[in-house]
Amino acid sequence: MAMMFCCGSLFGWMLMLVEDAFINAIICFCRHTGIYVYGNEYYFGGGIQSSPGGQTPYGRPYKTIELGLTQIPKEMFEDYLQEISPRYTAQTYNLLHHNCNNFSEEVSQFLLGVSIPNYILKLPEEIMNSPMGALISKYTFLSLSYKC
């Protein structure tokens, strides 16, 4: 089964303007990630979620990257998702340290043994090391349980 990594929009149009003005000027910012396999996109959003491809609350991905072909049967994958679900809840979500990128990485490793693009995994570090990082870190919204 073919597997793809998907990038989409996180906050919607209003906050995207803020992101575009401050963060996108510094780095390429992927606002939502998920793994597309078995006809669905799987992602971390208030828990482990799945939606038919392109029909997540974040809309159609603006970028997809083919990661490879998995030999893992869908039933085994679903068992795996059940097993890791306690680690991926609304309460465990953290915008910088435990987000949809971490979920996508873990799922990609399970299904293929490969990583998602490294620049995606390093985004929180790059943001915090940017000139805007100090300002961003002062806002409490980063520690709230926002969906990815």
Side-chain angles (χ1 to χ4, degrees):
M1 176 63 62
M3 190 173 107
M4 292 187 290
F5 172 73
C6 305
C7 293
S9 175
L10 170 58
F11 293 114
W13 71 272
M14 218 159 124
L15 288 178
M16 242 165 46
L17 296 175
V18 174
E19 290 175 356
D20 287 342
F22 295 106
I23 296 173
N24 285 354
I26 301 163
I27 59 172
C28 172
F29 189 70
C30 187
R31 298 172 188 92
H32 160 75
T33 62
I35 297 292
Y36 179 81
V37 66
Y38 311 114
N40 285 309
E41 182 177 339
Y42 295 85
Y43 56 97
F44 178 24
I48 296 174
Q49 307 286 320
S50 70
S51 298
Q55 297 180 27
T56 72
Y58 313 106
R60 297 186 59 79
Y62 69 83
K63 182 177 186 177
T64 59
I65 300 167
E66 190 165 334
L67 296 174
L69 299 174
T70 185
Q71 300 301 314
I72 304 291
K74 183 178 182 181
E75 296 75 27
M76 183 183 289
F77 176 59
E78 289 173 349
D79 290 344
Y80 169 75
L81 292 177
Q82 285 290 84
E83 181 182 314
I84 67 169
S85 65
R87 292 197 317 270
Y88 291 97
T89 67
Q91 293 75 28
T92 64
Y93 183 83
N94 180 282
L95 185 60
L96 295 174
H97 305 292
H98 190 69
N99 55 47
C100 54
N101 302 336
N102 304 107
F103 172 78
S104 295
E105 170 68 5
E106 187 169 344
V107 169
S108 181
Q109 287 291 336
F110 175 79
L111 290 171
L112 290 173
V114 301
S115 286
I116 64 172
N118 196 44
Y119 69 89
I120 298 294
L121 294 172
K122 291 191 173 272
L123 283 176
E125 178 184 336
E126 288 185 35
I127 291 168
M128 296 315 293
N129 289 333
S130 73
M132 294 302 295
L135 178 63
I136 292 169
S137 68
K138 292 181 182 184
Y139 292 96
T140 58
F141 74 87
L142 291 175
S143 63
L144 295 177
S145 295
Y146 281 100
K147 292 181 185 178
C148 189

PDB file of all heavy atoms in Angstrom, residues 73-92:
ATOM      1  N   PRO A  73      -0.195  -4.958   7.107  1.00  0.00           N
ATOM      2  CA  PRO A  73      -1.646  -5.037   6.847  1.00  0.00           C
ATOM      3  C   PRO A  73      -2.414  -3.966   7.626  1.00  0.00           C
ATOM      4  O   PRO A  73      -2.015  -3.559   8.726  1.00  0.00           O
ATOM      5  CB  PRO A  73      -2.029  -6.431   7.345  1.00  0.00           C
ATOM      6  CG  PRO A  73      -0.758  -7.179   7.498  1.00  0.00           C
ATOM      7  CD  PRO A  73       0.317  -6.159   7.739  1.00  0.00           C
ATOM      8  N   LYS A  74      -3.526  -3.507   7.067  1.00  0.00           N
ATOM      9  CA  LYS A  74      -4.333  -2.461   7.700  1.00  0.00           C
ATOM     10  C   LYS A  74      -4.758  -2.854   9.107  1.00  0.00           C
ATOM     11  O   LYS A  74      -4.738  -2.030  10.019  1.00  0.00           O
ATOM     12  CB  LYS A  74      -5.564  -2.155   6.839  1.00  0.00           C
ATOM     13  CG  LYS A  74      -6.408  -1.034   7.392  1.00  0.00           C
ATOM     14  CD  LYS A  74      -7.579  -0.704   6.508  1.00  0.00           C
ATOM     15  CE  LYS A  74      -8.369   0.458   7.095  1.00  0.00           C
ATOM     16  NZ  LYS A  74      -9.521   0.811   6.297  1.00  0.00           N
ATOM     17  N   GLU A  75      -5.121  -4.101   9.323  1.00  0.00           N
ATOM     18  CA  GLU A  75      -5.569  -4.544  10.648  1.00  0.00           C
ATOM     19  C   GLU A  75      -4.448  -4.412  11.676  1.00  0.00           C
ATOM     20  O   GLU A  75      -4.679  -3.998  12.816  1.00  0.00           O
ATOM     21  CB  GLU A  75      -6.053  -6.002  10.599  1.00  0.00           C
ATOM     22  CG  GLU A  75      -7.271  -6.216   9.719  1.00  0.00           C
ATOM     23  CD  GLU A  75      -6.969  -6.188   8.219  1.00  0.00           C
ATOM     24  OE1 GLU A  75      -5.815  -6.504   7.801  1.00  0.00           O
ATOM     25  OE2 GLU A  75      -7.871  -5.811   7.452  1.00  0.00           O
ATOM     26  N   MET A  76      -3.224  -4.733  11.284  1.00  0.00           N
ATOM     27  CA  MET A  76      -2.086  -4.587  12.195  1.00  0.00           C
ATOM     28  C   MET A  76      -1.837  -3.113  12.499  1.00  0.00           C
ATOM     29  O   MET A  76      -1.537  -2.742  13.637  1.00  0.00           O
ATOM     30  CB  MET A  76      -0.828  -5.224  11.595  1.00  0.00           C
ATOM     31  CG  MET A  76       0.365  -5.181  12.515  1.00  0.00           C
ATOM     32  SD  MET A  76       1.857  -5.865  11.761  1.00  0.00           S
ATOM     33  CE  MET A  76       1.442  -7.600  11.741  1.00  0.00           C
ATOM     34  N   PHE A  77      -1.988  -2.275  11.477  1.00  0.00           N
ATOM     35  CA  PHE A  77      -1.823  -0.837  11.666  1.00  0.00           C
ATOM     36  C   PHE A  77      -2.870  -0.301  12.635  1.00  0.00           C
ATOM     37  O   PHE A  77      -2.557   0.477  13.537  1.00  0.00           O
ATOM     38  CB  PHE A  77      -1.910  -0.119  10.314  1.00  0.00           C
ATOM     39  CG  PHE A  77      -1.840   1.376  10.421  1.00  0.00           C
ATOM     40  CD1 PHE A  77      -0.746   2.008  10.994  1.00  0.00           C
ATOM     41  CD2 PHE A  77      -2.863   2.166   9.920  1.00  0.00           C
ATOM     42  CE1 PHE A  77      -0.677   3.393  11.070  1.00  0.00           C
ATOM     43  CE2 PHE A  77      -2.806   3.547   9.991  1.00  0.00           C
ATOM     44  CZ  PHE A  77      -1.710   4.159  10.565  1.00  0.00           C
ATOM     45  N   GLU A  78      -4.111  -0.728  12.480  1.00  0.00           N
ATOM     46  CA  GLU A  78      -5.176  -0.269  13.383  1.00  0.00           C
ATOM     47  C   GLU A  78      -4.919  -0.724  14.819  1.00  0.00           C
ATOM     48  O   GLU A  78      -5.180   0.016  15.762  1.00  0.00           O
ATOM     49  CB  GLU A  78      -6.524  -0.745  12.866  1.00  0.00           C
ATOM     50  CG  GLU A  78      -6.943  -0.007  11.606  1.00  0.00           C
ATOM     51  CD  GLU A  78      -8.197  -0.554  10.952  1.00  0.00           C
ATOM     52  OE1 GLU A  78      -8.670  -1.652  11.332  1.00  0.00           O
ATOM     53  OE2 GLU A  78      -8.714   0.128  10.043  1.00  0.00           O
ATOM     54  N   ASP A  79      -4.394  -1.939  14.991  1.00  0.00           N
ATOM     55  CA  ASP A  79      -4.016  -2.409  16.334  1.00  0.00           C
ATOM     56  C   ASP A  79      -2.911  -1.526  16.918  1.00  0.00           C
ATOM     57  O   ASP A  79      -2.933  -1.176  18.100  1.00  0.00           O
ATOM     58  CB  ASP A  79      -3.551  -3.864  16.298  1.00  0.00           C
ATOM     59  CG  ASP A  79      -4.678  -4.842  16.029  1.00  0.00           C
ATOM     60  OD1 ASP A  79      -5.865  -4.465  16.165  1.00  0.00           O
ATOM     61  OD2 ASP A  79      -4.370  -5.999  15.667  1.00  0.00           O
ATOM     62  N   TYR A  80      -1.943  -1.176  16.085  1.00  0.00           N
ATOM     63  CA  TYR A  80      -0.854  -0.309  16.501  1.00  0.00           C
ATOM     64  C   TYR A  80      -1.382   1.057  16.949  1.00  0.00           C
ATOM     65  O   TYR A  80      -0.965   1.580  17.992  1.00  0.00           O
ATOM     66  CB  TYR A  80       0.149  -0.154  15.352  1.00  0.00           C
ATOM     67  CG  TYR A  80       1.166   0.916  15.562  1.00  0.00           C
ATOM     68  CD1 TYR A  80       2.227   0.740  16.448  1.00  0.00           C
ATOM     69  CD2 TYR A  80       1.082   2.131  14.881  1.00  0.00           C
ATOM     70  CE1 TYR A  80       3.164   1.736  16.645  1.00  0.00           C
ATOM     71  CE2 TYR A  80       2.013   3.127  15.074  1.00  0.00           C
ATOM     72  CZ  TYR A  80       3.055   2.922  15.952  1.00  0.00           C
ATOM     73  OH  TYR A  80       3.978   3.917  16.151  1.00  0.00           O
ATOM     74  N   LEU A  81      -2.310   1.621  16.181  1.00  0.00           N
ATOM     75  CA  LEU A  81      -2.884   2.920  16.553  1.00  0.00           C
ATOM     76  C   LEU A  81      -3.588   2.840  17.903  1.00  0.00           C
ATOM     77  O   LEU A  81      -3.488   3.772  18.720  1.00  0.00           O
ATOM     78  CB  LEU A  81      -3.843   3.426  15.471  1.00  0.00           C
ATOM     79  CG  LEU A  81      -3.215   3.815  14.142  1.00  0.00           C
ATOM     80  CD1 LEU A  81      -4.291   4.235  13.150  1.00  0.00           C
ATOM     81  CD2 LEU A  81      -2.176   4.909  14.308  1.00  0.00           C
ATOM     82  N   GLN A  82      -4.295   1.760  18.146  1.00  0.00           N
ATOM     83  CA  GLN A  82      -4.939   1.565  19.453  1.00  0.00           C
ATOM     84  C   GLN A  82      -3.898   1.524  20.566  1.00  0.00           C
ATOM     85  O   GLN A  82      -4.095   2.100  21.640  1.00  0.00           O
ATOM     86  CB  GLN A  82      -5.754   0.269  19.457  1.00  0.00           C
ATOM     87  CG  GLN A  82      -7.047   0.367  18.698  1.00  0.00           C
ATOM     88  CD  GLN A  82      -8.035   1.243  19.423  1.00  0.00           C
ATOM     89  OE1 GLN A  82      -8.013   2.464  19.284  1.00  0.00           O
ATOM     90  NE2 GLN A  82      -8.893   0.641  20.189  1.00  0.00           N
ATOM     91  N   GLU A  83      -2.794   0.853  20.297  1.00  0.00           N
ATOM     92  CA  GLU A  83      -1.724   0.709  21.294  1.00  0.00           C
ATOM     93  C   GLU A  83      -1.096   2.054  21.661  1.00  0.00           C
ATOM     94  O   GLU A  83      -0.802   2.314  22.829  1.00  0.00           O
ATOM     95  CB  GLU A  83      -0.656  -0.238  20.735  1.00  0.00           C
ATOM     96  CG  GLU A  83       0.501  -0.504  21.658  1.00  0.00           C
ATOM     97  CD  GLU A  83       1.527  -1.401  20.987  1.00  0.00           C
ATOM     98  OE1 GLU A  83       1.128  -2.416  20.384  1.00  0.00           O
ATOM     99  OE2 GLU A  83       2.726  -1.070  21.064  1.00  0.00           O
ATOM    100  N   ILE A  84      -0.881   2.918  20.669  1.00  0.00           N
ATOM    101  CA  ILE A  84      -0.222   4.200  20.949  1.00  0.00           C
ATOM    102  C   ILE A  84      -1.203   5.314  21.313  1.00  0.00           C
ATOM    103  O   ILE A  84      -0.784   6.396  21.723  1.00  0.00           O
ATOM    104  CB  ILE A  84       0.677   4.651  19.766  1.00  0.00           C
ATOM    105  CG1 ILE A  84      -0.145   5.002  18.523  1.00  0.00           C
ATOM    106  CG2 ILE A  84       1.746   3.605  19.466  1.00  0.00           C
ATOM    107  CD1 ILE A  84       0.645   5.705  17.432  1.00  0.00           C
ATOM    108  N   SER A  85      -2.493   5.062  21.206  1.00  0.00           N
ATOM    109  CA  SER A  85      -3.494   6.125  21.418  1.00  0.00           C
ATOM    110  C   SER A  85      -3.403   6.806  22.792  1.00  0.00           C
ATOM    111  O   SER A  85      -3.668   8.014  22.873  1.00  0.00           O
ATOM    112  CB  SER A  85      -4.906   5.616  21.156  1.00  0.00           C
ATOM    113  OG  SER A  85      -5.271   4.627  22.071  1.00  0.00           O
ATOM    114  N   PRO A  86      -3.009   6.126  23.885  1.00  0.00           N
ATOM    115  CA  PRO A  86      -2.898   6.857  25.149  1.00  0.00           C
ATOM    116  C   PRO A  86      -1.841   7.968  25.133  1.00  0.00           C
ATOM    117  O   PRO A  86      -1.907   8.908  25.918  1.00  0.00           O
ATOM    118  CB  PRO A  86      -2.520   5.772  26.165  1.00  0.00           C
ATOM    119  CG  PRO A  86      -3.022   4.497  25.567  1.00  0.00           C
ATOM    120  CD  PRO A  86      -2.849   4.677  24.083  1.00  0.00           C
ATOM    121  N   ARG A  87      -0.886   7.873  24.237  1.00  0.00           N
ATOM    122  CA  ARG A  87       0.150   8.912  24.136  1.00  0.00           C
ATOM    123  C   ARG A  87      -0.283  10.069  23.257  1.00  0.00           C
ATOM    124  O   ARG A  87       0.380  11.108  23.228  1.00  0.00           O
ATOM    125  CB  ARG A  87       1.444   8.309  23.576  1.00  0.00           C
ATOM    126  CG  ARG A  87       2.117   7.342  24.509  1.00  0.00           C
ATOM    127  CD  ARG A  87       3.569   7.079  24.151  1.00  0.00           C
ATOM    128  NE  ARG A  87       3.855   6.890  22.739  1.00  0.00           N
ATOM    129  CZ  ARG A  87       3.841   5.704  22.108  1.00  0.00           C
ATOM    130  NH1 ARG A  87       3.512   4.617  22.769  1.00  0.00           N
ATOM    131  NH2 ARG A  87       4.154   5.628  20.834  1.00  0.00           N
ATOM    132  N   TYR A  88      -1.377   9.913  22.517  1.00  0.00           N
ATOM    133  CA  TYR A  88      -1.833  10.936  21.581  1.00  0.00           C
ATOM    134  C   TYR A  88      -3.261  11.344  21.903  1.00  0.00           C
ATOM    135  O   TYR A  88      -4.202  10.928  21.256  1.00  0.00           O
ATOM    136  CB  TYR A  88      -1.695  10.427  20.135  1.00  0.00           C
ATOM    137  CG  TYR A  88      -0.250  10.298  19.720  1.00  0.00           C
ATOM    138  CD1 TYR A  88       0.407   9.077  19.786  1.00  0.00           C
ATOM    139  CD2 TYR A  88       0.462  11.415  19.299  1.00  0.00           C
ATOM    140  CE1 TYR A  88       1.740   8.963  19.427  1.00  0.00           C
ATOM    141  CE2 TYR A  88       1.798  11.306  18.937  1.00  0.00           C
ATOM    142  CZ  TYR A  88       2.419  10.084  19.005  1.00  0.00           C
ATOM    143  OH  TYR A  88       3.749   9.983  18.651  1.00  0.00           O
ATOM    144  N   THR A  89      -3.397  12.168  22.931  1.00  0.00           N
ATOM    145  CA  THR A  89      -4.701  12.665  23.366  1.00  0.00           C
ATOM    146  C   THR A  89      -4.676  14.194  23.374  1.00  0.00           C
ATOM    147  O   THR A  89      -3.610  14.802  23.252  1.00  0.00           O
ATOM    148  CB  THR A  89      -5.031  12.168  24.787  1.00  0.00           C
ATOM    149  OG1 THR A  89      -4.105  12.774  25.707  1.00  0.00           O
ATOM    150  CG2 THR A  89      -4.947  10.642  24.896  1.00  0.00           C
ATOM    151  N   ALA A  90      -5.826  14.801  23.561  1.00  0.00           N
ATOM    152  CA  ALA A  90      -5.888  16.258  23.667  1.00  0.00           C
ATOM    153  C   ALA A  90      -5.030  16.749  24.830  1.00  0.00           C
ATOM    154  O   ALA A  90      -4.396  17.801  24.747  1.00  0.00           O
ATOM    155  CB  ALA A  90      -7.334  16.719  23.838  1.00  0.00           C
ATOM    156  N   GLN A  91      -4.954  15.969  25.899  1.00  0.00           N
ATOM    157  CA  GLN A  91      -4.185  16.367  27.079  1.00  0.00           C
ATOM    158  C   GLN A  91      -2.676  16.255  26.858  1.00  0.00           C
ATOM    159  O   GLN A  91      -1.903  16.954  27.514  1.00  0.00           O
ATOM    160  CB  GLN A  91      -4.583  15.517  28.293  1.00  0.00           C
ATOM    161  CG  GLN A  91      -5.990  15.756  28.779  1.00  0.00           C
ATOM    162  CD  GLN A  91      -7.051  15.128  27.877  1.00  0.00           C
ATOM    163  OE1 GLN A  91      -6.816  14.125  27.206  1.00  0.00           O
ATOM    164  NE2 GLN A  91      -8.212  15.744  27.840  1.00  0.00           N
ATOM    165  N   THR A  92      -2.236  15.379  25.967  1.00  0.00           N
ATOM    166  CA  THR A  92      -0.797  15.209  25.755  1.00  0.00           C
ATOM    167  C   THR A  92      -0.262  16.113  24.646  1.00  0.00           C
ATOM    168  O   THR A  92       0.948  16.215  24.467  1.00  0.00           O
ATOM    169  CB  THR A  92      -0.439  13.749  25.405  1.00  0.00           C
ATOM    170  OG1 THR A  92      -1.041  13.391  24.163  1.00  0.00           O
ATOM    171  CG2 THR A  92      -0.872  12.800  26.518  1.00  0.00           C
TER     172      THR A  92
END
